[in-house]
């Protein structure tokens, strides 16, 4: 029996949850990126954190962050190269309750894990 998936801490939800080519048809089904994948891209690529720092903030192992990061980058490449819509939704995450005051470097205390369901 596989080990249960550990809840990932997310400091905030994305402002825009769908991206895609403008003014042209999109090829194929949309690519869906989980909120944990979005958070890893935000922490590592935008905030400039090391994988160890991102892992500590999200409450998971560094190897988990590395795996999430690789999957997220593959999804970004799929959407960009093949002109597919990118949707950000879902996953086993705990969203920071005090995100308005969060410094996004050492996130505040997180409690519980609520599975984020896709909208619609």
């Amino acid at each position: 029996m596989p080990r249960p998936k550990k809840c990932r801490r997310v400091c905030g939800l994305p402002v825009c949850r769908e991206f895609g080519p403008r003014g042209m048809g999109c090829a194929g089904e949309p690519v869906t990126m989980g909120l944990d994948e979005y958070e890893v891209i935000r922490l590592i690529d935008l905030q400039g954190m090391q994988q160890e720092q991102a892992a500590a903030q999200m409450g998971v192992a560094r190897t988990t962050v590395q795996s999430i990061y690789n999957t997220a980058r593959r999804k970004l490449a799929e959407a960009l190269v093949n002109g597919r819509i990118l949707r950000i939704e879902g996953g086993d995450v705990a969203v920071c309750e005090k995100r308005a005051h969060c410094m996004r470097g050492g996130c505040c205390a997180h409690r519980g894990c609520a599975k984020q369901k896709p909208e619609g």
Side-chain angles (χ1 to χ4, degrees), residues 10-78:
V10 174
C11 199
L13 300 174
V15 176
C16 297
R17 291 189 179 213
E18 189 169 290
F19 302 88
R22 191 173 191 175
M24 59 183 269
C26 299
E29 290 293 314
V31 175
T32 302
M33 176 183 282
L35 291 167
D36 56 344
E37 294 166 326
Y38 163 82
E39 182 73 350
V40 168
I41 292 290
R42 187 185 71 78
L43 293 174
I44 294 174
D45 291 336
L46 184 62
Q47 298 292 322
M49 286 188 181
Q50 298 295 316
Q51 289 182 2
E52 293 83 8
Q53 295 169 306
Q57 181 159 327
M58 292 181 70
V60 296
R62 186 205 53 81
T63 54
T64 301
V65 166
Q66 184 178 28
S67 176
I68 294 169
Y69 186 60
N70 290 338
T71 303
R73 290 185 61 163
R74 205 170 308 116
K75 289 179 180 182
L76 282 172
E78 174 70 25

Side-chain angles (χ1 to χ4, degrees), residues 76-98:
L76 282 172
E78 174 70 25
L80 290 172
V81 172
N82 295 322
R84 293 173 61 187
I85 292 173
L86 176 68
R87 287 192 183 136
I88 303 170
E89 61 187 15
D92 291 322
V93 299
V95 180
C96 178
E97 296 168 3
K98 300 177 184 177

